Amino acid sequence: MKKLINDPNDVVAEALLGMEAAHASLSVDHANKIIHRAQPPRPGKVGIISGGGSGHEPLHGGFVGLGMLDAACAGEVFTSPVPQQMIAAIKLVDGGAGVLQVVKNYTGDVMNFDMAAEMTASQAGTRVVSVVTDDDVAVQDSTWTAGRRGVGVTVLLEKIAGAAAEQDRTLDQVADVARAVNANGRSMGVALTSCTVPAAGKPTFDLGEADMELGVGIHGEPGRRRVPLAPAKDIAAMLLEPILADLPFTSGDGVIAFVNGLGGTPLLELYIMFNEVNTLLGQHGIRVARSLVGSYITALDMAGTSITLLKVDDDLLSLWDAPVNTPALRWGT
Amino acid sequence: MKKLINDPNDVVAEALLGMEAAHASLSVDHANKIIHRAQPPRPGKVGIISGGGSGHEPLHGGFVGLGMLDAACAGEVFTSPVPQQMIAAIKLVDGGAGVLQVVKNYTGDVMNFDMAAEMTASQAGTRVVSVVTDDDVAVQDSTWTAGRRGVGVTVLLEKIAGAAAEQDRTLDQVADVARAVNANGRSMGVALTSCTVPAAGKPTFDLGEADMELGVGIHGEPGRRRVPLAPAKDIAAMLLEPILADLPFTSGDGVIAFVNGLGGTPLLELYIMFNEVNTLLGQHGIRVARSLVGSYITALDMAGTSITLLKVDDDLLSLWDAPVNTPALRWGT
Amino acid sequence: MSENLSAAAMAQWVRQFATLIAQNREHLTELDAAIGDADHGANMDRGMSAVVKALDDAQPTAAGAVLTGVGMTLISTVGGASGPLFGTLFLRMGTALGDAGEVPSQELGTALRAGLEGVVARGKAELGDKTMVDALAPAADALDAALAEGLPLADAVARASEAAATGRDCTTPMLARKGRASYLGERSVGHQDPGATSVALLLEAASELGR
Amino acid sequence: MSENLSAAAMAQWVRQFATLIAQNREHLTELDAAIGDADHGANMDRGMSAVVKALDDAQPTAAGAVLTGVGMTLISTVGGASGPLFGTLFLRMGTALGDAGEVPSQELGTALRAGLEGVVARGKAELGDKTMVDALAPAADALDAALAEGLPLADAVARASEAAATGRDCTTPMLARKGRASYLGERSVGHQDPGATSVALLLEAASELGR
Ligand SMILES: Nc1ncnc2c1ncn2[C@@H]1O[C@H](COP(=O)(O)OP(=O)(O)O)[C@@H](O)[C@H]1O
Ligand SMILES: Nc1ncnc2c1ncn2[C@@H]1O[C@H](COP(=O)(O)OP(=O)(O)O)[C@@H](O)[C@H]1O
Ligand SMILES: [Mg+2]
Ligand SMILES: [Mg+2]
Ligand SMILES: [Mg+2]
Ligand SMILES: [Mg+2]
């Protein structure tokens, strides 16, 4: 295992020390592993927290700041945080208008955030609403299963809901915006290599030199199927077709197109992918209203990419354009 | 070779298409492979161009925009651009106040930029000044050799000189600022894996599972020596000690501390490295005035990191803090 | 394990479980790598190490309190799916045992069933969904039946352990419908469920102490 | 190669050089990977492919103009260190041959020396710095000497080719003091210089045509 780390057990704690030292706008509650804005909550603003297993950086801690999250709870690598963390985070960010929890749809995340909401409601009386993202079309959806995984849409949702909260919309309104984002967003990813969980010390899966894992999860969960390596053009089509078919997106729609790197893939390749995505969308008559290209929701050191499309109306678009000032996304401020 | 590309020969051209599509603030001259601001040059402002081989993204194209570069010339992967590109870029960005060329110290880059400056001077009469970065302490310096490589300082220089130009400082003043940055900045890097040049199709060097290459170059040039893998804490010391000794930096100095990822290394690890760097600097009494953590000058898909320290005075610091609005660095606007 | 459930016996069981988890840490992680995210071994080991540490620091004097303490520690140190689920399992078992210092051994059956119900309430998994429930439910059934037959606790626990092991093995051909493995659809078939494997270790720990 | 240097002969030489570069593309890249950045083969091949394409489109009628055209094409398509250096080499050779349609074969010696001087002026490398100069300078010396001895062009070129090959081989034990390999210091020792290898191919191309 080749990683810039010390003891695998200290990975999360030490990264939080680094984040705190690097960003004056952030504070860290090290006991509870919470990254939060250095400024106290603005009264009347809905607080937004998120969190999840670590290993997806900059998600979520890198999205804490004006116009996005108020706090992020960092779990162990690929393991959701525990209820105590969310309870403490809710307390930190509560400005009297209630708190929205952004939860990616994994059994562990959902249960731990739910327990936190239950305990907070019974103890502190703060109103807590959870919105769950489940945008990964690689997973067969069904009410009989855990449903789909939450992936790339989470980034867009945190930005857009964050902007809505900054406008002093109510908790229900912010939650509605968040649900609209999840309802209109779809994603799918592909891995060229496995990731290596530090505590495991070896790659999660073996992938032949000529193979890739189509529909991989951001924790290295196996995807739809293993297929031969393909040119960027074909990969873009393999990822886009299921996305486009699922919502479905139709000609004339405006979208935010998000090409994401999974941690081990350089920007050069992401721009090549974006070029293919942009071309394919043009062929489908879909208008790229905004775009985002970079590594924003990663799977440790995995080489690969995911594509997320979010169908936008004017409200979502103006919320996307609103000022944001976080370590990983920043504009308009 | 596992890459999100089509034909290796089309890598640069297709990435430029993607960049142009992704960023409304940029335009691309595809014939000359120049990324430039969509806005025409502001009369009276010194134009700043840079460029070099591709494969270091976001450097340089991702740094084109308000407060930083006016244009970037993209060469083939790891191969400097040709004079015609710089000649065309100089013409594009000339606002009547002359043009600064930021050149990394590689024989090819220096020669091609020099030829461009010579030809421009003899043809168009535009005043062109080149500033060469040579901050890599891994390389033994000597007047008998090609000197040191230009690496991480280039990013900081482009930001700071860009801010100086935006203030309508003269070409000589901007060049002086640029030289001051290079004179006060030092870097060193380490590779955990080789990069793979697309046209070569296989890793540039073999590196054992338990080894790393200390002092590696951003083109996969071999470094000072091959050493066993080490914890982040020790790697930080191995990189920092030669840097600190070289200028030398002394107790009480304020620095911009820049922990850079080489393309295949995720942010999680960079924050762990930054924590170690920050701690070590504290032990040396060196004050981290500002910091930058992320993958800004990469070596394709190489896993590894580089550390850059820039000793700053008030002028350099206020230029660093000045507004910048580019795809890869953005604040204050 | 004596015929009355004491705090000491409960602590011994929990410590033995922690030992088995530590020994099987890599195995559990490998099972999770195949159909999940390669952290189940680390998760359970982190939690059970914290449990042992807490027991070293201060051990409750009531049997039930030992188990609720374990549940609280698991919930606050594990995270993921197994944190709330194993946490709930122990919490409910402890609550079912009540406040008494020692409780009659039959109560273990009641406790295990309460724990199972807690897990089902939290995770909504049914039998056959390829989760820890597939080991836990047969174990609870076997324990109840054995105790009803009037078997001594040690024998009853041994039967429950066998049932858990069989339940664990039966997860291999199943198609996952809950938890992370469910994302795999058909590709989850042919792999043993990590959580069910941990449950089997929990019952194995009990049965080892009974021997 | 005839005793007068015609545009056709120059074009034939250049085309043969392009062929040898294409055949040695991987070899050149491997040499560059060891002490540089693994692009010399791609660089030279990209440039010489463009040269051949330009010659296919329109071939100048003067010997010198063929070579200056090659130089311009290399400068505008190669980049890196080899673009300006090989570009300058051909530019200066072409300029030295002048505007005449055909020039006497002795002029090739003058041209190669002019090219060498251009490379040294541009790159500041001295003999022994482990660069293309270490193959080019001995080749120019050998060609001059052979032509001065009155050897036929074919034989003179063959001698120059041998000298270039020897010069190329001599770069292996050298410590690089110019170009990217110089960053390696002591670690550059024991590797053959890629640029010198390309120069040896250039002279080999000439000598093959002479046979
Ligand atoms: N809804 C559920 N009900 C019961 N057990 C579940 C459920 N979801 C997951 N599990 C159990 O949790 C185990 C995985 O635990 P673990 O790997 O620690 O958490 P995570 O899946 O969050 O990484 C699975 O093997 C399964 O037995
Ligand atoms: N200053 C110099 N003078 C002469 N030749 C040089 C000089 N610098 C580099 N070279 C030659 O250029 C070759 C490398 O070319 P190439 O790999 O194409 O360019 P780059 O080094 O820019 O990647 C070296 O092998 C060497 O022969
Ligand atoms: Mg997990
Ligand atoms: Mg090169
Ligand atoms: Mg797991
Ligand atoms: Mg090279």
Side-chain angles (χ1 to χ4, degrees):
Chain A
M1 174 176 57
K2 291 193 151 181
K3 288 184 190 290
L4 299 165
I5 62 172
N6 296 301
D7 188 326
N9 293 315
D10 300 335
V11 161
V12 178
E14 292 181 359
L16 291 183
L17 285 169
M19 279 206 77
E20 186 178 38
H23 303 291
S25 62
L26 301 183
S27 294
V28 174
D29 170 349
H30 293 284
N32 286 306
K33 296 203 165 75
I34 298 170
I35 298 157
H36 59 96
R37 302 192 195 180
Q39 304 279 356
R42 180 160 56 78
K45 187 185 100 60
V46 168
I48 306 190
I49 72 162
S50 187
S54 293
H56 307 304
E57 292 68 23
L59 187 88
H60 298 271
F63 298 134
V64 173
L66 182 92
M68 220 159 159
L69 299 180
D70 292 277
C73 302
E76 290 298 317
V77 171
F78 288 180
T79 303
S80 86
V82 300
Q84 278 85 336
Q85 295 178 262
M86 280 71 89
I87 292 169
I90 289 167
K91 207 164 151 191
L92 269 173
V93 310
D94 184 9
V99 174
L100 179 75
Q101 298 192 127
V102 180
V103 185
K104 301 191 297 302
N105 188 37
Y106 300 93
T107 304
D109 294 70
V110 170
M111 288 192 299
N112 283 284
F113 275 87
D114 278 355
M115 289 170 83
E118 288 162 19
M119 295 188 205
T120 301
S122 69
Q123 287 164 21
T126 303
R127 215 178 135 219
V128 179
V129 173
S130 301
V131 171
V132 177
T133 58
D134 60 349
D135 52 307
D136 191 341
V137 302
V139 175
Q140 200 71 32
D141 203 3
S142 143
T143 49
W144 296 101
T145 68
R148 288 174 164 179
R149 297 177 291 228
V151 286
V153 151
T154 316
V155 175
L156 310 183
L157 186 153
E158 292 180 357
K159 165 66 188 84
I160 289 172
E166 223 65 63
Q167 293 178 349
D168 284 350
R169 299 197 192 183
T170 66
L171 178 55
D172 287 327
Q173 288 170 332
V174 174
D176 281 347
V177 162
R179 285 189 204 100
V181 172
N182 185 58
N184 286 288
R186 297 291 189 277
S187 304
M188 186 154 149
V190 64
L192 303 187
T193 68
S194 174
C195 51
T196 297
V197 176
K202 58 186 182 193
T204 299
F205 53 91
D206 292 320
L207 195 53
E209 256 315 295
D211 287 337
M212 57 187 195
E213 182 72 32
L214 189 68
V216 74
I218 56 169
H219 308 89
E221 302 100 328
R224 284 192 172 194
R225 59 184 191 279
R226 198 152 287 193
V227 298
L229 270 188
K233 189 190 292 287
D234 300 339
I235 295 177
M238 285 184 239
L239 296 178
L240 262 187
E241 296 306 334
I243 290 174
L244 290 172
D246 195 86
L247 192 54
F249 293 81
T250 48
S251 179
D253 285 346
V255 299
I256 298 178
F258 170 27
V259 170
N260 176 59
L262 289 175
T265 285
L267 199 50
L268 179 73
E269 298 178 32
L270 298 182
Y271 278 120
I272 292 172
M273 281 299 299
F274 182 74
N275 179 46
E276 298 300 342
V277 168
N278 188 51
T279 305
L280 279 172
L281 290 177
Q283 287 164 11
H284 283 86
I286 292 171
R287 187 174 47 85
V288 176
R290 298 291 183 276
S291 60
L292 185 67
V293 181
S295 295
Y296 293 103
I297 172 170
T298 59
L300 293 169
D301 51 354
M302 184 184 282
T305 187
S306 68
I307 297 174
T308 298
L309 292 189
L310 172 65
K311 194 195 287 201
V312 284
D313 58 15
D314 289 347
D315 186 38
L316 294 187
L317 205 55
S318 79
L319 290 168
W320 176 255
D321 288 342
V324 59
N325 191 349
T326 72
L329 275 192
R330 198 181 295 163
W331 57 71
T333 62
Chain B
M1 174 176 55
K2 291 193 150 182
K3 288 183 189 292
L4 300 165
I5 61 171
N6 296 302
D7 187 326
N9 293 315
D10 299 335
V11 161
V12 177
E14 291 180 0
L16 291 182
L17 285 168
M19 280 205 76
E20 185 178 38
H23 304 290
S25 61
L26 302 182
S27 294
V28 174
D29 170 350
H30 291 285
N32 286 307
K33 297 201 164 73
I34 299 169
I35 300 156
H36 60 96
R37 302 192 196 181
Q39 304 280 355
R42 180 161 56 78
K45 188 184 100 60
V46 167
I48 307 191
I49 72 163
S50 187
S54 293
H56 307 303
E57 292 67 23
L59 185 90
H60 298 270
F63 298 134
V64 173
L66 183 90
M68 220 161 159
L69 299 180
D70 292 276
C73 302
E76 290 298 317
V77 171
F78 288 180
T79 303
S80 85
V82 300
Q84 277 85 336
Q85 294 178 263
M86 280 73 88
I87 293 169
I90 290 167
K91 208 165 151 189
L92 268 172
V93 310
D94 184 9
V99 174
L100 179 75
Q101 297 193 126
V102 180
V103 185
K104 301 192 295 303
N105 188 36
Y106 300 93
T107 305
D109 294 70
V110 171
M111 288 193 298
N112 283 283
F113 275 87
D114 278 356
M115 288 170 83
E118 289 163 19
M119 295 188 208
T120 301
S122 69
Q123 287 164 20
T126 304
R127 217 180 133 219
V128 179
V129 173
S130 301
V131 171
V132 177
T133 59
D134 58 351
D135 52 308
D136 190 342
V137 302
V139 175
Q140 199 72 33
D141 202 4
S142 142
T143 48
W144 297 101
T145 67
R148 288 176 164 177
R149 297 177 291 228
V151 286
V153 151
T154 317
V155 175
L156 309 183
L157 186 153
E158 292 180 357
K159 165 66 187 83
I160 289 173
E166 222 65 63
Q167 293 178 350
D168 284 352
R169 298 196 192 183
T170 66
L171 178 55
D172 287 327
Q173 288 170 334
V174 174
D176 281 346
V177 162
R179 285 188 205 101
V181 172
N182 185 59
N184 287 289
R186 296 291 188 279
S187 304
M188 185 153 148
V190 63
L192 302 187
T193 68
S194 175
C195 52
T196 298
V197 176
K202 57 184 181 193
T204 299
F205 54 91
D206 291 321
L207 196 53
E209 257 315 295
D211 288 336
M212 56 187 196
E213 181 74 31
L214 189 68
V216 75
I218 56 170
H219 309 88
E221 302 101 326
R224 283 194 173 192
R225 59 185 190 277
R226 197 152 289 192
V227 298
L229 269 188
K233 189 190 290 288
D234 300 339
I235 295 177
M238 285 183 239
L239 296 178
L240 262 187
E241 296 306 333
I243 290 174
L244 289 172
D246 195 86
L247 191 55
F249 293 82
T250 48
S251 179
D253 285 345
V255 299
I256 299 178
F258 170 26
V259 170
N260 176 60
L262 289 176
T265 286
L267 200 49
L268 180 72
E269 299 178 31
L270 298 182
Y271 278 120
I272 291 173
M273 280 299 298
F274 182 76
N275 180 45
E276 298 300 342
V277 168
N278 188 50
T279 304
L280 279 173
L281 290 177
Q283 286 166 10
H284 282 86
I286 292 171
R287 187 173 47 86
V288 176
R290 298 291 183 276
S291 60
L292 184 67
V293 181
S295 296
Y296 294 102
I297 171 168
T298 59
L300 294 169
D301 50 355
M302 183 183 283
T305 186
S306 67
I307 297 175
T308 299
L309 292 189
L310 172 64
K311 194 194 288 199
V312 284
D313 59 15
D314 289 347
D315 186 39
L316 293 188
L317 204 56
S318 80
L319 290 168
W320 176 255
D321 288 340
V324 60
N325 191 348
T326 72
L329 275 192
R330 198 180 294 163
W331 57 71
T333 62
Chain C
M1 217 176 263
S2 67
E3 285 300 286
N4 257 357
L5 304 175
S6 65
M10 291 299 101
Q12 223 187 334
W13 176 27
V14 165
R15 284 176 186 275
Q16 182 60 15
F17 180 42
T19 303
L20 293 183
I21 286 289
Q23 285 168 358
N24 286 276
R25 178 186 160 121
E26 275 199 33
H27 176 53
L28 294 170
T29 289
E30 271 167 25
L31 292 175
D32 197 28
I35 52 173
D37 58 350
D39 65 355
H40 187 63
N43 286 347
M44 293 301 294
D45 193 28
R46 182 173 60 252
M48 292 310 297
S49 300
V51 162
V52 167
K53 201 167 164 301
L55 282 177
D56 287 345
D57 289 350
Q59 188 191 301
T61 48
V66 170
L67 299 186
T68 48
V70 170
M72 299 294 281
T73 302
L74 291 180
I75 288 173
S76 65
T77 58
V78 176
S82 43
L85 291 170
F86 280 86
T88 300
L89 171 61
F90 279 98
L91 260 184
R92 293 291 181 93
M93 285 200 295
T95 309
L97 291 187
D99 296 334
E102 300 208 352
V103 287
S105 61
Q106 280 79 349
E107 296 294 307
L108 195 63
T110 323
L112 198 61
R113 181 148 313 275
L116 166 66
E117 282 164 5
V119 168
V120 169
R122 189 46 71 207
K124 313 272 179 313
E126 294 175 10
L127 259 185
D129 282 356
K130 196 182 186 98
T131 71
M132 62 187 285
V133 170
D134 293 313
L136 196 55
D141 290 347
L143 188 61
D144 277 347
L147 291 170
E149 277 180 40
L151 287 186
L153 182 61
D155 298 349
V157 161
R159 289 233 192 133
S161 175
E162 279 165 36
T166 308
R168 171 200 65 201
D169 294 345
C170 289
T171 62
T172 301
M174 290 178 186
L175 179 85
R177 276 191 297 260
K178 281 285 178 293
R180 201 177 293 274
S182 73
Y183 303 134
L184 274 70
E186 294 290 345
R187 290 178 72 180
S188 64
V189 171
H191 299 278
Q192 180 176 313
D193 180 63
T197 309
S198 286
V199 167
L201 293 175
L202 176 66
L203 277 302
E204 187 181 322
S207 123
E208 283 178 6
L209 296 183
R211 281 205 291 269
Chain D
M1 218 177 260
S2 68
E3 285 299 284
N4 257 357
L5 305 175
S6 65
M10 291 299 100
Q12 222 187 333
W13 176 27
V14 165
R15 285 176 184 276
Q16 181 60 16
F17 179 43
T19 303
L20 292 183
I21 285 289
Q23 286 168 358
N24 286 276
R25 179 186 159 121
E26 276 200 32
H27 175 55
L28 294 170
T29 290
E30 272 167 25
L31 292 175
D32 198 28
I35 52 172
D37 58 350
D39 65 355
H40 187 63
N43 286 346
M44 294 300 294
D45 194 28
R46 181 173 61 253
M48 293 310 298
S49 301
V51 162
V52 168
K53 200 168 164 298
L55 284 176
D56 287 346
D57 289 350
Q59 189 192 301
T61 50
V66 169
L67 299 187
T68 50
V70 171
M72 299 294 283
T73 303
L74 291 180
I75 288 174
S76 64
T77 57
V78 176
S82 44
L85 291 170
F86 280 85
T88 299
L89 171 61
F90 279 98
L91 260 185
R92 293 292 181 93
M93 286 201 294
T95 309
L97 292 186
D99 296 335
E102 299 208 350
V103 287
S105 61
Q106 280 81 350
E107 296 294 306
L108 195 63
T110 322
L112 197 62
R113 181 148 312 274
L116 166 66
E117 282 163 6
V119 168
V120 169
R122 187 48 70 208
K124 311 275 180 312
E126 294 176 10
L127 259 185
D129 283 357
K130 195 181 185 101
T131 70
M132 61 187 286
V133 170
D134 293 313
L136 195 55
D141 289 347
L143 188 61
D144 277 347
L147 291 170
E149 277 180 42
L151 287 186
L153 182 61
D155 297 349
V157 161
R159 288 231 192 134
S161 176
E162 278 165 36
T166 306
R168 172 200 66 202
D169 293 344
C170 288
T171 62
T172 301
M174 290 178 185
L175 179 86
R177 277 192 296 260
K178 281 285 180 293
R180 201 177 293 275
S182 73
Y183 303 134
L184 273 71
E186 295 290 345
R187 290 178 72 181
S188 64
V189 171
H191 298 278
Q192 180 176 315
D193 180 62
T197 310
S198 286
V199 167
L201 294 174
L202 176 66
L203 277 301
E204 187 181 322
S207 123
E208 282 177 6
L209 297 184
R211 281 205 291 268

